[in-house]
Amino acid sequence: MIILAIDTSAVASAALIRCHEPLVPEAAGAAVLASFATEDTRSHAEVLAPGIRALLAEQELAGADIARIVVGVGPGPFTGLRSGIATARALAFAWDVPLDGVMSLDALAWDVVESGAPADGFTVAIDARRRELYWAQYAADGTLVDGPHVTAPQQLPSLPAYGAGAGLYRWQLEDAGASVDEAFAQAQPAAASLGLVAAARLGAGAPLLDTTPLYLRDSDAQVPGPRKRAL
């Protein structure tokens, strides 16, 4: 079985995951066939579809070969998340395959656990702009403990913090009692890890999310009010 994973919560990324059937927990039978991720946090719509097309061509696959699509549902900015989720929904409809969501921060937490997570747990954080972070707290095995949230950096727990958001606000986090892992100071959620998270959960019989985006903020766009009278 081949899963197409997509995430645009921070950067645009996609990956093809091969899973042996039946699926098993811990993604033991899953492997990343191919993946791409940009460094730009503002060009999701321009690069995502061509990137997916290139991945399929590289592996000599077509839409008919994809058994399931999983997409990161955030948290993240409106424009970025819309690009990824809209693309995933369109492809799932066109290819007539199941579509599921995974919280994007879970992908970053997967990477932390794979590298050896602290015994007392940790947080992962990405930039939410406006001097805030999107973050969540996890146990050492990657189980979600709290979140996701969008807050000022000083409001994160006093735990080791991972991710590009932690690297961006290192001094504020350290002043508040947290520590920043240097190896993950520029890390963003990636579709390859998102796909492995999905494979592990499907293998364990755990439910995935729907594709409702986790914006965590109200939209800046407002419905215009009535025109003011000139007289």
Side-chain angles (χ1 to χ4, degrees):
M1 180 175 80
I2 296 177
I3 296 174
L4 170 63
I6 298 170
D7 189 83
T8 54
S9 60
V11 300
S13 63
L16 295 170
I17 312 295
R18 182 183 296 279
C19 306
H20 296 299
E21 296 186 84
L23 288 165
V24 295
E26 308 301 331
V32 179
L33 291 179
S35 66
F36 86 91
T38 67
E39 295 184 1
D40 187 359
T41 60
R42 298 178 184 271
S43 62
H44 305 79
E46 294 85 352
V47 303
L48 185 59
I52 293 171
R53 189 183 306 118
L55 287 181
L56 293 172
E58 175 188 330
Q59 296 297 314
E60 299 182 347
L61 297 172
D65 299 309
I66 304 300
R68 182 181 295 267
I69 298 174
V70 294
V71 63
V73 295
F78 285 80
T79 302
L81 285 186
R82 277 199 299 268
S83 297
I85 293 172
T87 299
R89 288 174 176 174
L91 292 176
F93 177 79
W95 296 341
D96 191 25
V97 297
L99 172 64
D100 299 288
V102 174
M103 187 173 77
S104 300
L105 296 177
D106 289 350
L108 196 48
W110 175 276
D111 294 334
V112 175
V113 172
E114 288 295 293
S115 71
D120 293 334
F122 59 95
T123 62
V124 299
I126 60 174
D127 185 19
R129 301 169 190 168
R130 305 182 191 176
R131 300 181 181 178
E132 292 183 322
L133 295 174
Y134 294 121
W135 64 274
Q137 179 182 343
Y138 295 86
D141 64 354
T143 301
L144 180 66
V145 174
D146 188 25
H149 301 289
V150 56
T151 70
Q154 295 85 345
Q155 293 181 253
L156 269 69
S158 299
L159 291 169
Y162 296 75
L168 184 63
Y169 291 99
R170 174 190 303 274
W171 310 122
Q172 292 93 323
L173 291 173
E174 291 180 347
D175 286 346
S179 60
V180 176
D181 188 281
E182 182 63 33
F184 280 78
Q186 297 183 16
Q188 304 280 18
S193 298
L194 190 92
L196 294 175
V197 170
R201 291 180 181 170
L202 289 168
L208 300 181
L209 303 177
D210 61 25
T211 59
T212 302
L214 298 170
Y215 290 132
L216 302 191
R217 285 188 181 131
D218 293 331
S219 174
D220 290 333
Q222 301 294 328
V223 178
R227 292 185 179 181
K228 294 182 180 179
R229 298 183 62 178
L231 300 177

